[in-house]
Each structure stands twice: as structure tokens, then as C-alpha cells.
């Protein structure tokens, strides 16, 4: 390609688009199904149940410490499969590009998608590319859809949560939200914060292999943070999820940023953390399994489930008090993912 | 919901988003898997091969005669499954909404997605919603991903095309492109043009049932039109695809618009037409099968395949001449789909 940036012709269905697909996407993603250039990929069906999920990524900025919009798009979808206990198999990716986007940026993004997909063990098998005129979108949006296989006997879900269950978190909370906020350049922090963006499927597989029974529900706390996930759990299971503030793993830099800006870290987005609700008798085994894996080294047991008050999330504060943790009302940080 | 338009809070992962999902998407799409509100749908795996495809829809305007961006998003993906011979099963949909989009517009779009999905017989099983600030996107973009089942023995593809094969088109060409151009309001045509946007899976099933052998390749000629599809076919099979201009079905209004604007109808987008390449001995049976179906009433045999010149598309003109039909170089009409 002679051009240095995306033009409307790259979305035309014509020669420029064919060039972009061949010289950029096919070369980087490097999958035989994609290379067939038919309108659909043709694949082996999963033997077990099929899991399917989708994510639109609109993050701003598109590059941030610890990742970029491409890595985020792949990891977000892989993780939504993984928390259902599914083994990720196939990924589609659709790009909406703003005219003028530097092709070097697109190449960097596609390369990081390939790296994340390889790490997760998912194949990029089909895609689409659209270009809109300058000002009709902001640089690049990526929508991924993932298909996975749920092995027989695996049935994770908020409806399985029981009173007495323990709540675990696989590591420091709020890293992604804090890193993106920092990357927007409106703060002047001493240390660079890094997003935790990563595929979680290997961590989930490790946990489920150590604890074949007793893992009741998993979720990755992205938009709306740990607070949103626990509220969704509480509403579905009809019990009360209680968190101990003293146990919540959090980096000092994130804690400091939240204090300065008046943000609540429970609402900050994560892109590489797992919330697990497990039966009490396997809680220590589950914790050990998480800590045993590089993606869960800083895991902690952070709370438990009680029967009442029904459908609520309660934080036991450092000062010995209790407060209700609601679903967020509005938007702390637009375009966080 | 009390609001009349989309706010940033609708993309927050919080209460406003939960309200939008429950009161708009769940109510309209009405599928039990979607209603579970887990991070992934859990579905029966197809018995045959799995087909997977994705489309990003960025059309402008979002409402046009014959359809809207929602109907287009569903049909585009259904049709990409259908032309692989796949029975459509499951659909994901991801929305990127611009702050300020009227909720009534979103409701109308979602309703038309549901209607198109019902007509095609595909289930909407998972989704995602993001909101970007005013000016960061243009009203609404929708990305769908579809999964389908390819029955045993079905193997359609451009690589199957042989010299002697006949080329069929299922009806009038260019309706979608002409209708969208008309809807942009820069022309003053006497008749309103309607997009042909529709799901093609029933037409394909009808054709394959009438002709279990001998259908070599199918494709829906969207962006880049019939010219782009035939060029892709020619490049893959390495033969020459020859079109007879006199046989091409085209509405007078579309022909007139193309003459006035200097557009070539072979490059205009279609969203409800099928190009089929079939063995010569079944060409008449295939034509009868297409014409026998309401979505193929105006089908015609429009050309044939010869061995040389390799990889080219040639039009035999009304005046008895020949001209090469190339892949489009640039972009006739941005945001046509």
C-alpha cells in the first residue's frame, strides 16, 4: 500500500480494500480460514455447548500503558467466554475506521490483537472493515465476537450462589480504569499506571481444574467495576454479597488517585481480573489455585455471601462501619473500554 | 426510562444501562438466553460444520426506504451465512451509540432487527452497548456476528467454479445503492426507490433443495456490487466471468439515475440479491427455482464462465462490444452499508 493513512477507498469493496485486507489483516492475523476470503468462516463445531459473546471497544485513548484498543477488544471477549467456563475457539473482528487514521496505528493495533489472541489460544477467523468520513467516528472502534466450547458438566452462573459462599478477587482492583484516566494526561502522577488488560482463560482453566466442584460463579469486573458485578450477582441470586474493605487488594497509586479525584475504586474498570464466588469448603483451595498462577498472584478472599438483606451488596469499611454499594448511577469515566 | 435520548450513563455499566437493556433490548429482542444477562450466551452446538461471519453497519442515513440500519445489520450477516449454504442460528449485536440519539430511534431500529431476525429464523442471543460522547460517532453503528450450521455435503465456494458454468442473478441490481443515494435527498427523482434489503436464507435453501448438486458458488453483491463479487470469483477460480448487459435485470429508475449521475449499476450495492454460479446442466432448473420464490421472482441467467482470459470479468455490451469490468478503484458512495 502506498498510502500512509486510511482513506474512504479502503472501505469501498474495491481494490484499495482488497489491498488493506491482504497486506495488513491477512498478513498479521495469519489464519487459513481468513485467507479463504469467503463471506463466512467454516469451522469445526464445538463438541460441548457453544458459548457466544460480543464486545464493542470504543476506548479513548486507543493506546495506553499496558495495552491498546486491539488487545482490549480481544481480551474483553475472551474473558466473557472464560467466565462462563468456556474454552475460547473462534473470534470475529469488525473495524470501524475514521478516514485519516494512520495505517501504522492500525498495523500496531492488529499486531497486538494477534499477540493477545495467540496468548489466549483463540483463532481470528472472520472480519469486516468499514471506513467513515473524518468526524463520523473517533479514530477506530473494534467489535469482536467470540465463540467457545463449554465442557460437559461446567455450569457457572450467578443463580448458583448460596449463603456462606466466599468471594474472591484475583488481584489488584482498578488498574485499568486508573491507567486509562492517567493516559488521558490530565493528571501528573509520579508513577505510570499500567492497565491489567490480559486474557483470563488460562487462569480460569487452572482454577476449574484445581476445583472441579464448588466454583459457583465467575465474572470479570470491567465497566462499573467490582461494584457492578457484585450487584448483578446479588440481584440474580437474591442474597447479600458482603465485602471487607481491609481485604481488597489495591495498589497504593490507585488508592491515591481515587482519593485525590474522589473516585470509588470499587467502580473502576478492570480488564484482567476475576471475581469468583465459591463454596466455603473449597475457598482456600481456590485461593491457592489463583495465587499459584501468574495471572492471579495477588488474589484474595474479600468477602462472603449471607442470606439477607436480599439482593444487596454491603461493604464492611476499614473503620468498622457498613455501607451499601449500589450499582453506579451515572458514568464515572466515559469510553473506558 | 424517563429520558428521551441516549446519555453517557446508558453506557456506564450502571443503573441507566441496566434500564436500557431491560426496558428496550430485552423487551424487543425477547430471547431467553439474552434474558439470563450472563456475560455469554450458552447454546446448542450445530451438528454440522459451524459458519461464522461479522458485519459492521455504518450506513447513512440510518432510516431509508425499504429498511434501516438495524434491518441491514441483521440481513447482512444472515446473508453472509446463507451464501455459504449455512442455516442461520445465532446472532450477536453490538451497538455504538452517540450521546443524544433519540431513544425512539433506537427502539425503532431494535424492532426492525427483531422483525428481520424473525423472518430469517435467527435468534438474537447476546449483545453489547457502548455510548460515546456527542461527535465521537455518527448516531449509531451496529456490528452483528452470526453463527450458522452448514449441512453435511454442502460445499459452496468460488474455487468450485468451472468453465461452462452459468451466472445467475436473483433480481434487479442496484436497488439498495440507488435507494440510499436517493434518501440522502440530493436528487429529485419522480419515483421513490426502495432498498432490496432482506434475508436471503430462505431463497438459498429453496435453490439448494431444488438443485442439491451443481450449485458451485453463491455471493450477495453488497459493497462494490456485482462487479466486485464477480471479480473476487474470477480471481479465486482463475477463469473468466462473462456478463451479457442485455440480460441484466435493472429497474428503469435505477438505470435512469445511473445515467444522470454517471454511475455504473454494476458497482451499486445490493442487500437482497444473490449471484449464483451453477453447472450448465442445472442452469434452467436453478433459474426456475429462484423465480419460483418470492425473493427471486425477477431472476435471470446473465452470463457464463470461460477458461480465458484468466481472472477477468468481461461485459458484452448492448452495442455488441466487450469491456473489462474491474474491481472498483475508489469509493462511489461512502457509508452505503
Amino acid at each position: 500500500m502506498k498510502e500512509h493513512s486510511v482513506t474512504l477507498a479502503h472501505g469501498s469493496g474495491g481494490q484499495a480494500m482488497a489491498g488493506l485486507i491482504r497486506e495488513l489483516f491477512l498478513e498479521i492475523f495469519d489464519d487459513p480460514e481468513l485467507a479463504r476470503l469467503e463471506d463466512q468462516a467454516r469451522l469445526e463445531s464445538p463438541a460441548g455447548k457453544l458459548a457466544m459473546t460480543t464486545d464493542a471497544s470504543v476506548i479513548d485513548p486507543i493506546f495506553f500503558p499496558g495495552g491498546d484498543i486491539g488487545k482490549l477488544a480481544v481480551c474483553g471477549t475472551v474473558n466473557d467466554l472464560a467466565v462462563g467456563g468456556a474454552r475460547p475457539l473462534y473470534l470475529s473482528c469488525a473495524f470501524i475506521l475514521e478516514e485519516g487514521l494512520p495505517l501504522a496505528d492500525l498495523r500496531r493495533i492488529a499486531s497486538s490483537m494477534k499477540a493477545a489472541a495467540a496468548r489466549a489460544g483463540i483463532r481470528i477467523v472472520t472480519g469486516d472493515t468499514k471506513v467513515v468520513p473524518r468526524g463520523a467516528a473517533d479514530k477506530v472502534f473494534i467489535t469482536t465476537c467470540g465463540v467457545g466450547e463449554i465442557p460437559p458438566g461446567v455450569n457457572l452462573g450467578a443463580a448458583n450462589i448460596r449463603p456462606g459462599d466466599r468471594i474472591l478477587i484475583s488481584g489488584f482492583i482498578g488498574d485499568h480504569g486508573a491507567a486509562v484516566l492517567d493516559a488521558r494526561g490530565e493528571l501528573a502522577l509520579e508513577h505510570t499506571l499500567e492497565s491489567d488488560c490480559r486474557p483470563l482463560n488460562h487462569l480460569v482453566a487452572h482454577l476449574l481444574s484445581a476445583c472441579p466442584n464448588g466454583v459457583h460463579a465467575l465474572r470479570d469486573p470491567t465497566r462499573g467495576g467490582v461494584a457492578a458485578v457484585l450487584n448483578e450477582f446479588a440481584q440474580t441470586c437474591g442474597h447479600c454479597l458482603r465485602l471487607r474493605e481491609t481485604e481488597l487488594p489495591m495498589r497504593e497509586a490507585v488508592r491515591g488517585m481515587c482519593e485525590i479525584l474522589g473516585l470509588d475504586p470499587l467502580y473502576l474498570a478492570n480488564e484482567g481480573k476475576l471475581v469468583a464466588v465459591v463454596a466455603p469448603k473449597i475457598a482456600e483451595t481456590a485461593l491457592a489455585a489463583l495465587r499459584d498462577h501468574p495471572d492471579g498472584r495477588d488474589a484474595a478472599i474479600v468477602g462472603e455471601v449471607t442470606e439477607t438483606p436480599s439482593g444487596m451488596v454491603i461493604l464492611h469499611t476499614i473503620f468498622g462501619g457498613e455501607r451499601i454499594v449500589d450499582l453506579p448511577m451515572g458514568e464515572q469515566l466515559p469510553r473506558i473500554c
Side-chain angles (χ1 to χ4, degrees), chain A residues 52-72:
Chain A
M52 184 171 177
T53 189
T54 189
D55 282 291
S57 298
V58 299
I59 193 167
D60 173 42
I62 56 174
F63 299 104
F64 49 86
D68 58 42
I69 190 169
K71 182 182 182 188
L72 183 74

Side-chain angles (χ1 to χ4, degrees), chain A residues 93-122:
Chain A
C93 47
F95 295 85
I96 297 173
L97 308 175
E98 184 187 15
E99 180 189 13
L101 177 77
L103 281 168
D105 285 359
L106 187 57
R107 186 172 287 277
R108 187 175 154 197
I109 289 166
S111 301
S112 104
M113 294 180 79
K114 173 65 180 178
R119 185 170 162 189
I122 196 168

Side-chain angles (χ1 to χ4, degrees), chain A residues 239-254:
Chain A
H239 303 304
C240 173
L241 279 79
R242 293 175 182 271
L243 282 180
R244 288 186 300 277
E245 194 171 13
T246 49
E247 307 297 332
L248 283 171
M250 203 183 323
R251 290 181 205 280
E252 274 314 308
V254 172

Side-chain angles (χ1 to χ4, degrees), chain A residues 184-270:
Chain A
R184 287 181 188 162
E186 290 143 24
L187 305 163
L189 299 179
E190 278 179 39
H191 308 288
T192 300
L193 291 166
E194 273 212 3
S195 168
D196 54 348
C197 181
R198 77 187 63 187
L200 289 170
N201 56 311
H202 299 303
L203 180 65
V204 170
H206 187 69
L207 172 65
L208 292 178
S209 127
C211 306
N213 296 300
V215 177
H216 290 161
L218 300 175
R219 200 69 73 85
D220 59 326
T222 57
R223 260 187 304 181
V226 170
V229 162
L230 295 185
N231 269 281
E232 289 163 23
F233 278 174
Q235 281 161 25
T236 302
C237 73
H239 303 304
C240 173
L241 279 79
R242 293 175 182 271
L243 282 180
R244 288 186 300 277
E245 194 171 13
T246 49
E247 307 297 332
L248 283 171
M250 203 183 323
R251 290 181 205 280
E252 274 314 308
V254 172
R255 191 188 307 274
M257 176 193 261
C258 285
E259 278 171 10
I260 293 168
L261 299 177
L263 297 172
D264 186 336
L266 284 173
Y267 295 95
L268 279 186
N270 309 271

Side-chain angles (χ1 to χ4, degrees), chain A residues 302-325:
Chain A
V302 296
E304 60 275 313
V305 181
T306 60
E307 197 155 350
T308 55
S310 173
M312 291 183 72
V313 179
I314 291 176
L315 182 74
H316 297 254
T317 68
I318 292 177
F319 310 106
E322 289 188 4
R323 71 171 173 87
I324 293 170
V325 179

